[in-house]
Amino acid sequence: MMTGTDWGRQALCRTADPDDLFVPGATQNRAKALCNGCVVRTECLSYALDQHIEYGVWGGMTERERRALLRRRPTVVSWRRLLETARFEHEQRQSTAAALSRTS
């Protein structure tokens, strides 16, 4: 598990022009597309949510999307813990489903 912001060294956007990630309106969809397939998307998103970062695309979500999520889930103390747990459970379900399909 990575700590702090160590994940930033593995981010797909690490070599992108920062001006491409902090854009208004519909152009945010291009920035969000960069997040697809990024191995540290969960870490990036949880960092932005935990730090209440107001601007830019982080972890595939715009500031508007993050604000809405924060409003819907005001009791979440650690987005990192929540998202990492959800990712682990998802991976476990996928692994179990794959094992079951190999045995049938």
Side-chain angles (χ1 to χ4, degrees):
M1 179 184 302
M2 290 176 271
T3 60
T5 56
D6 292 347
W7 52 265
R9 288 187 292 240
Q10 296 179 19
L12 288 176
C13 65
R14 74 185 173 284
T15 58
D17 182 347
D19 290 339
D20 292 340
L21 301 173
F22 295 87
V23 292
T27 53
Q28 291 177 330
N29 289 329
R30 282 195 302 260
K32 288 170 59 171
L34 183 60
C35 300
N36 291 337
C38 183
V39 297
V40 293
R41 184 174 179 175
T42 300
E43 290 81 2
C44 180
L45 177 58
S46 65
Y47 177 79
L49 291 166
D50 284 340
Q51 301 301 314
H52 294 268
I53 296 175
E54 294 187 28
Y55 301 103
V57 172
W58 292 78
M61 292 184 83
T62 66
E63 57 266 15
R64 180 178 286 168
E65 292 166 332
R66 291 192 309 275
R67 276 194 305 269
L69 183 56
L70 289 168
R71 277 193 306 272
R72 284 193 308 270
R73 302 287 303 271
T75 60
V76 174
V77 176
S78 170
W79 284 96
R80 183 166 188 157
R81 188 173 322 131
L82 178 79
L83 294 176
E84 285 178 348
T85 299
R87 180 176 54 191
F88 176 77
E89 290 172 355
H90 174 73
E91 289 169 352
Q92 291 297 312
R93 284 191 301 273
Q94 283 185 317
S95 178
T96 301
L100 289 173
S101 70
R102 285 192 299 269
T103 60
S104 18

